Amino acid sequence: GAEPGDAVPGEIGLAAARRALRVTLRGPAGTLPLAAAPHVVELAPETNLAIDKGMPWGAGEPLGKLLPGTTVTRLREEDVRAEDGRGAREPGDGVAAAILRQAAERPLVVVVRDAHRHPWQTDLLERLLAARPDGVVVEMGLPGRTDLGAVHIATHGAARVCGQAAAEVLAGLG
């Protein structure tokens, strides 16, 4: 039977996810917790067949529960590339401008997943950070460059508990 000190499996996963986080703060803009409810942009790559497409991931949903007023936009590669015919100079220009408008006067959090494997994610991330050097990057999956963003959080995984652990740090609970 269960003993009073036994952890529930979900709690074990969350505890491991919290320990796996690596947070890098850079410059005066690199501060935590977030000062207000952010606009979160999740860049969702196509996953391979071993990953259930319905598997929840990201930091937007759990952050919204911790910081009411958080807004979330999830974009796929085709969302970023589809704007080409609308006068954008480069794929991602119009999308970046729209994101920057949505995040005006609020913290900007960009969640990427295995960005080093998906040039479209890196391109859009760099465009956003060029305009918003105070942006926060949450890198789920395998970490790549930790020099992006005023705050960079590497989760070392993409499970729901990884997003929850990152959201706790952003909200000042971690």
Side-chain angles (χ1 to χ4, degrees), residues 114-147:
D114 298 327
H116 62 284
R117 294 180 178 164
H118 304 283
W120 70 272
Q121 284 190 45
T122 304
D123 293 346
L124 184 54
L125 178 60
E126 288 175 350
R127 286 172 203 269
L128 293 170
L129 294 176
R132 288 288 303 266
D134 63 327
V136 173
V137 176
V138 176
E139 191 165 8
M140 304 193 78
L142 296 172
R145 294 175 53 189
T146 61
D147 62 325

Side-chain angles (χ1 to χ4, degrees), residues 62-85:
L63 194 52
K65 292 177 180 169
L66 298 174
L67 293 176
T70 295
T71 54
V72 183
T73 301
R74 182 170 284 192
L75 298 170
R76 298 164 314 197
E77 182 174 10
E78 53 267 31
D79 301 324
V80 174
R81 301 229 178 269
E83 70 172 1
D84 246 355

